[in-house]
């Protein structure tokens, strides 16, 4: 292949919606040649002169750096955005990786072998005849277009070739027969359903929407509960960067990112499912009795929760701002109402309900509710933060104070809701016990 000319230029950036994918935008007189080089290196075209690198092992930043080095060696100017460079430099590890004895590079090699199998299936170079579940993971039998038949074990970045047969029809028949003997009634024809990670990868390869050349939106300051949703990965990255006693991990299966305190008794989980709606749970914060002990309390937040609320919730785990010495936190009066004490200074309306108490903001745009299951806050019916029954009151209080006084950015026109004339009780919901947590639900 002809090498691209030195005046070609490539800009590498993070994907606008996928947690780890990388976007390459190619400019210059030799766009087609550079795009062809990237396509040969497993990049996928999603728009004119725009390609995406999406993998099932969350290692896109590493391979994007490899591609940048090769292009630069061929004389191409490569620009890497600061946020992608941060992802490239991040020294994360797989928490609880099943091959824990492997080094980081060895894990990356295993993942890349799984990526090659995935690509072979996706591009039709490996036909899957049947699959099964062995009680632990997915297994399959297939044949490469080159004629070699194989058995596969595992999913996503842990899929490996467990048995390799020869080429030709007799080898294929043998592979199929032995697969049936191994897994019996569990065998199903054809490939297994796509995993969550594979579905996310498919979505990330969809064409990017055209970007408008002009915009009439303007950013304004609104009450924090009416602000735009947080950029969740950026918020978690900033929290970990500002607090060296916390480390970030990715856990298998690769559907979430975790921040773990050095004591191993506090953890933050960020679920990054691609199809999350604003009311779907994205965040889980939890405290444990000991590194292997029972869970003491937890809090959850949905994907639409504004940045000011999330950053306050995370900061409450550190109490670096002396919150415990404030008059609200130090108060010993009415301990069951302690989280709501700041609202008395901000004209929130209090209403008794059959299940507890509800406080409503002056414009009716935010509710704070206390019921037997704990506390929860709701903003404009588009986001919710829930605290379990034993969450420290000072932590809830910090979030409540942010709801009362804080402001945040919002694009577009903000219209304050009409002040509520009455305050019906929100629908009671049971406590959420960490649906996406890898720990047992009873923890």
């Amino acid at each position: 292949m002809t090498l691209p000319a030195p005046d070609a230029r490539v800009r590498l950036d993070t994907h606008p919606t996928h947690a780890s994918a990388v976007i390459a935008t190619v400019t210059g007189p030799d766009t087609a040649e550079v795009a062809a080089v990237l396509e040969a290196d497993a990049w996928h075209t999603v728009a004119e002169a725009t390609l995406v690198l999406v993998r099932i092992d969350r290692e896109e930043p590493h391979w994007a750096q490899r591609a940048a080095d090769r292009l630069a060696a061929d004389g191409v100017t490569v620009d890497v955005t600061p946020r992608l460079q941060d992802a490239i430099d991040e020294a994360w590890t797989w928490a609880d990786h099943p091959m824990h004895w492997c080094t980081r590079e060895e894990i990356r090699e295993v993942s890349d072998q799984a990526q090659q199998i995935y690509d072979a299936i996706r591009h039709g170079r490996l036909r899957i005849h049947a699959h099964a579940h062995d009680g632990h993971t997915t297994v399959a039998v297939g044949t490469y277009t080159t004629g070699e038949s194989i058995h596969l074990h595992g999913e996503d970045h842990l899929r490996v070739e467990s048995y390799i047969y020869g080429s030709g029809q007799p080898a294929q028949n043998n592979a199929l027969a032995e697969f049936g003997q191994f897994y019996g009634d569990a065998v199903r024809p054809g490939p297994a359903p796509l995993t969550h990670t594979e579905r996310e990868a498919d979505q990330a390869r969809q064409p990017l929407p055209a970007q408008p050349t002009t915009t009439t939106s303007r950013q304004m300051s609104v009450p924090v509960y009416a602000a735009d949703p947080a950029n969740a990965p950026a918020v978690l990255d900033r929290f970990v960067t500002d607090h060296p006693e916390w480390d970030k991990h990715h856990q298998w299966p690769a559907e979430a990112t975790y921040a773990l305190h050095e004591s191993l008794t506090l953890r933050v989980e960020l679920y990054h499912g691609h199809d999350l709606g604003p009311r779907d749970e994205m965040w889980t914060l939890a405290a444990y009795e000991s590194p292997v002990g029972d869970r003491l309390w937890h809090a959850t937040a949905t994907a639409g929760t504004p940045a000011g609320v999330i950053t306050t919730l995370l900061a409450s785990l550190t109490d670096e701002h002396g919150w415990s010495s404030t008059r609200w936190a130090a108060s010993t009066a009415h301990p069951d109402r302690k989280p709501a004490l700041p609202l008395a200074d901000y004209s929130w309306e209090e209403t008794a309900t059959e299940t507890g108490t509800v406080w409503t903001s002056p414009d009716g745009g935010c509710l704070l509710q206390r019921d037997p299951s704990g506390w929860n806050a709701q903003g404009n019916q588009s986001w919710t933060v829930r605290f379990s029954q034993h969450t420290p009151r000072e932590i809830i209080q910090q979030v409540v104070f942010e709801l009362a006084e804080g402001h945040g950015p919002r694009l577009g026109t903000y219209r304050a809701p009409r002040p509520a004339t009455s305050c019906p009780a929100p629908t009671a919901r049971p406590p959420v016990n960490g649906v996406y947590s890898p720990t047992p639900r009873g923890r």
Side-chain angles (χ1 to χ4, degrees), residues 91 103 119 123 164 188 206 247 281 303 305 338-339 404 412 433 441:
T103 65
D119 288 337
H123 292 296
I164 301 176
R188 299 290 183 269
Q206 296 301 310
D247 289 318
E281 283 183 8
T305 307
K338 191 169 186 175
N433 290 324
R441 289 194 180 189

Side-chain angles (χ1 to χ4, degrees), residues 56-192:
I56 58 172
D57 57 3
R58 311 291 181 184
E59 291 278 10
E60 292 95 336
H62 167 77
W63 294 99
Q65 181 65 67
R66 294 273 294 266
D69 293 341
R70 286 193 294 271
L71 290 172
D74 290 335
V76 179
T77 300
V78 180
D79 300 318
V80 178
T81 64
R83 57 186 173 184
L84 176 57
Q85 191 62 55
D86 288 343
I88 292 172
D89 296 337
E90 181 186 357
W92 62 269
T93 60
W94 286 102
D96 298 335
H97 193 282
M99 301 181 187
H100 57 84
W101 58 87
C102 292
T103 65
R104 186 72 188 86
E105 287 306 314
E106 289 170 341
I107 289 176
R108 187 171 279 143
E109 290 177 10
V110 172
S111 298
D112 190 45
Q113 293 170 9
Q115 180 72 34
Q116 293 178 38
I117 295 172
Y118 165 76
D119 288 337
I121 295 172
R122 189 168 66 88
H123 292 296
R125 299 191 300 271
L126 173 57
R127 178 192 173 195
I128 301 300
H129 306 299
H131 72 278
H133 198 280
D134 68 354
H136 301 283
T137 190
T138 300
V139 291
V141 56
T143 301
Y144 285 98
T145 54
T146 55
E148 187 177 55
S149 294
I150 47 94
H151 285 183
L152 297 174
H153 180 277
E155 299 175 352
D156 299 330
H157 63 289
L158 295 176
R159 185 187 281 136
V160 297
E161 295 180 354
S162 55
Y163 291 92
I164 301 176
Y165 297 80
S167 298
Q169 193 63 45
Q172 180 177 318
N173 293 340
N174 189 25
L176 288 167
E178 291 193 357
F179 190 79
Q181 292 173 3
F182 290 157
Y183 304 109
D185 294 340
V187 175
R188 299 290 183 269

Side-chain angles (χ1 to χ4, degrees), residues 109-298:
E109 290 177 10
V110 172
S111 298
D112 190 45
Q113 293 170 9
Q115 180 72 34
Q116 293 178 38
I117 295 172
Y118 165 76
D119 288 337
I121 295 172
R122 189 168 66 88
H123 292 296
R125 299 191 300 271
L126 173 57
R127 178 192 173 195
I128 301 300
H129 306 299
H131 72 278
H133 198 280
D134 68 354
H136 301 283
T137 190
T138 300
V139 291
V141 56
T143 301
Y144 285 98
T145 54
T146 55
E148 187 177 55
S149 294
I150 47 94
H151 285 183
L152 297 174
H153 180 277
E155 299 175 352
D156 299 330
H157 63 289
L158 295 176
R159 185 187 281 136
V160 297
E161 295 180 354
S162 55
Y163 291 92
I164 301 176
Y165 297 80
S167 298
Q169 193 63 45
Q172 180 177 318
N173 293 340
N174 189 25
L176 288 167
E178 291 193 357
F179 190 79
Q181 292 173 3
F182 290 157
Y183 304 109
D185 294 340
V187 175
R188 299 290 183 269
L194 295 180
T195 66
H196 179 84
T197 299
E198 289 171 334
R199 292 195 301 271
E200 278 195 337
D202 283 348
Q203 292 168 338
R205 284 190 293 268
Q206 296 301 310
L208 291 175
Q211 298 297 317
T213 55
T214 61
T215 178
T216 58
S217 298
R218 63 186 182 89
Q219 191 176 84
M220 60 189 67
S221 179
V222 298
V224 69
Y225 48 77
D228 288 329
N231 180 341
V235 169
L236 185 60
D237 286 346
R238 186 163 59 249
F239 174 73
V240 173
T241 299
D242 293 343
H243 300 88
E245 68 275 18
W246 289 76
D247 289 318
K248 191 166 71 170
H249 303 269
H250 295 267
Q251 177 136 1
W252 175 85
E255 296 181 353
T257 302
Y258 300 87
L260 304 178
H261 189 264
E262 59 187 8
S263 67
L264 302 183
T265 60
L266 291 172
R267 68 185 294 161
V268 176
E269 174 184 351
L270 172 61
Y271 176 72
H272 43 67
H274 190 75
D275 54 353
L276 285 179
R279 300 183 185 182
D280 294 325
E281 283 183 8
M282 173 179 276
W283 297 86
T284 300
L285 288 70
Y288 295 85
E289 192 174 46
S290 69
V292 294
D294 292 336
R295 188 166 68 180
L296 300 175
W297 60 266
H298 68 277

Side-chain angles (χ1 to χ4, degrees), residues 404-418:
E405 186 173 79
H407 286 76
R410 185 176 183 89
L411 287 175
T413 302
Y414 168 71
R415 293 180 176 86
R418 182 177 299 174

